[in-house]
Amino acid sequence: MKLKPLIIGDLKAEVPIIQGGMGVGISLSSLAGAVAKEGAIGIISAAQPGYKDEKSFGEHSAETNFEALKYHIKEAKRISNGGIIGVNVMRASRRYDEYIKCCIDGGADIIISGAGLPIELPALLKDTNVKFAPIVSSLKAIKVLFKMWDRRYKTISDFVVIEGPKAGGHLGFSPEELEKNDFSNYDEEVVKIIEYVKEFEEKYNKSIPVIFAGGVYDRSDIDHYMSLGCAGVQMATRFVATEECDADIKYKMAYVNAKKEDIVIVKSPVGMPGRAIRNDFIKLREKERENVTKCYRCLDHCNPKETPYCITSALVRAVKGDVDNSLIFCGENAYRIDKIVTVKELLDELNN
């Protein structure tokens, strides 16, 4: 049986799956466009999309990123034949407001924002038709955001993404929480967030779908979270092992070849823990910090003199295929992937 469509305001995705944004360069126009073409929602990562233009990126990284981001939004729209294209913008990004403006100018349909609380996002999107969602991992976080948005802007988001502890990349939990908690009762937190959001649906007389992300691997996972009251899911890891994913084939094969014990929690320069494949780079960083000689000024709270490594450089090396000397983010279930498929094959598997 096919899944029910996902409706966000006046947008309708026939397949209630959002492809998670993955940077640097893992989800650009090729992947996002292919996903949206099949009726799901494609997401471009705003994390350093201009990395391919090495000279310009090295000298003027932000401006190069703005141009690349607008290009990829429009290209994804073209590939998808007008499908739903969004952008994931980290709140921890420097020049956050300019990235948001770039998404608007480029024609993005939705913006999803995490890695910090996007408190000012409603103001930045005022008088636009761009739909937006925060990424939260706790009831506490959504309460802070919704209460502030309600009081300050008299509005709330169009949908909400809950990111659980099994996600890849940066996680919305402290290292202590990840170490002490087995999260066996996390479904209870999901239900509490859904119930809290319902209060604002009534107040603002609009539907606010809640999407679950983090460790969603197959149809049974999707059915489970929809049975809790979610309107859809966000998936990232499974889309890496697709032909259309923007990453180098060696990056994709790192997922295919990964074993369960290879997937670990790492320390990130962003200040949050992250989940990645434990390769030679990670093993070396556990012993000593990298000598960072170039700063791309990408994050608000990153000091090149103190950071364990340059996250931009580590992620750029990864997307280019230097898989032993880089940071390879992945979800908890990446080791279950055993082959590369097309986006269509993957979505057909999940939706039938």
Side-chain angles (χ1 to χ4, degrees):
M1 183 184 294
K2 288 190 182 294
L3 296 160
K4 291 182 180 179
L6 170 60
I7 298 172
I8 303 172
D10 58 1
L11 299 175
K12 182 180 181 181
E14 292 297 334
V15 183
I17 295 173
I18 299 174
Q19 160 254 310
M22 297 171 281
V24 168
I26 309 301
S27 63
L28 295 176
S29 50
S30 176
L31 178 56
V35 170
K37 185 179 180 181
E38 298 302 325
I41 297 178
I43 303 292
I44 292 163
S45 170
Q48 313 289 44
Y51 77 93
K52 287 184 179 180
D53 188 345
E54 292 185 21
K55 186 175 188 303
S56 178
F57 181 65
E59 295 174 0
H60 310 286
S61 57
E63 289 73 18
T64 306
N65 285 334
F66 298 149
E67 289 306 310
L69 185 53
K70 281 187 276 191
Y71 164 79
H72 282 290
I73 295 169
K74 290 172 182 174
E75 179 65 5
K77 277 286 188 183
R78 183 193 67 78
I79 293 169
S80 69
N81 295 324
I84 303 174
I85 299 296
V87 182
N88 180 295
V89 186
M90 293 193 303
R91 180 55 195 88
S93 303
R94 286 184 179 166
R95 302 175 72 168
Y96 177 74
D97 56 342
E98 293 176 75
Y99 276 101
I100 298 301
K101 185 178 186 304
C102 187
C103 294
I104 297 167
D105 294 344
D109 297 301
I110 65 177
I111 290 174
I112 297 173
S113 192
L117 295 179
I119 290 168
E120 67 274 56
L121 192 51
L124 297 173
L125 294 174
K126 188 179 179 183
D127 301 324
T128 76
N129 196 37
V130 179
K131 309 297 185 290
F132 71 99
I135 298 175
V136 296
S137 296
S138 66
L139 177 63
K140 180 182 177 182
I142 196 64
K143 280 186 172 182
V144 169
L145 273 175
F146 270 29
K147 285 178 180 177
M148 188 167 293
W149 286 344
D150 180 44
R151 184 179 70 249
R152 187 179 294 182
Y153 304 116
K154 304 294 186 286
T155 191
I156 28 77
S157 61
D158 301 285
F159 62 114
V160 171
V161 177
I162 302 173
E163 188 172 80
K166 296 181 180 180
H170 295 118
L171 303 170
F173 302 90
S174 70
E176 292 75 25
E177 287 174 319
L178 291 168
E179 189 175 320
K180 294 177 183 177
N181 196 336
D182 66 0
F183 294 100
S184 57
N185 60 347
Y186 193 71
D187 282 359
E188 295 174 18
E189 191 80 357
V190 174
V191 172
K192 287 176 184 176
I193 293 171
I194 293 170
E195 290 301 315
Y196 183 74
V197 170
K198 281 180 181 175
E199 296 176 23
F200 288 84
E201 285 187 316
E202 293 171 9
K203 178 168 184 175
Y204 284 92
N205 192 30
K206 74 172 190 176
S207 173
I208 309 169
V210 176
I211 312 300
F212 184 82
V216 182
Y217 187 85
D218 55 21
R219 176 60 183 266
S220 65
D221 293 332
I222 298 171
D223 289 341
H224 171 72
Y225 288 108
M226 293 185 83
S227 75
L228 295 180
C230 293
V233 296
Q234 178 174 287
M235 302 175 70
T237 292
R238 293 227 43 199
F239 285 104
V240 169
T242 61
E243 292 180 10
E244 295 90 343
C245 174
D246 293 84
D248 186 273
I249 184 64
K250 292 176 186 173
Y251 187 102
K252 302 175 191 183
M253 290 307 297
Y255 275 44
V256 174
N257 295 328
K259 297 179 178 66
K260 187 174 184 178
E261 58 268 26
D262 296 331
I263 299 169
V264 297
I265 302 298
V266 301
K267 182 180 180 181
S268 166
V270 176
M272 302 175 180
R275 181 173 279 108
I277 294 175
R278 188 170 183 261
N279 56 6
D280 290 345
F281 176 79
I282 294 299
K283 293 173 185 175
L284 186 58
R285 295 289 77 79
E286 290 168 353
K287 298 175 183 175
E288 60 186 58
R289 65 180 293 271
E290 183 179 51
N291 182 26
V292 179
T293 57
K294 164 72 178 173
C295 180
Y296 293 92
R297 299 183 59 80
C298 57
L299 300 168
D300 270 335
H301 304 292
C302 183
N303 182 347
K305 294 179 181 178
E306 298 175 358
T307 183
Y309 54 90
C310 171
I311 193 164
T312 286
S313 297
L315 291 172
V316 168
R317 292 194 297 269
V319 71
K320 289 182 175 181
D322 186 3
V323 294
D324 293 323
N325 185 36
S326 59
L327 175 61
I328 304 177
F329 278 141
C330 69
E332 186 177 273
N333 288 314
Y335 72 94
R336 295 170 63 182
I337 294 172
D338 60 4
K339 62 182 176 181
I340 294 171
V341 298
T342 65
V343 163
K344 185 180 190 310
E345 287 170 336
L346 176 55
L347 288 172
D348 283 349
E349 172 198 323
L350 297 169
N351 194 35
N352 290 298

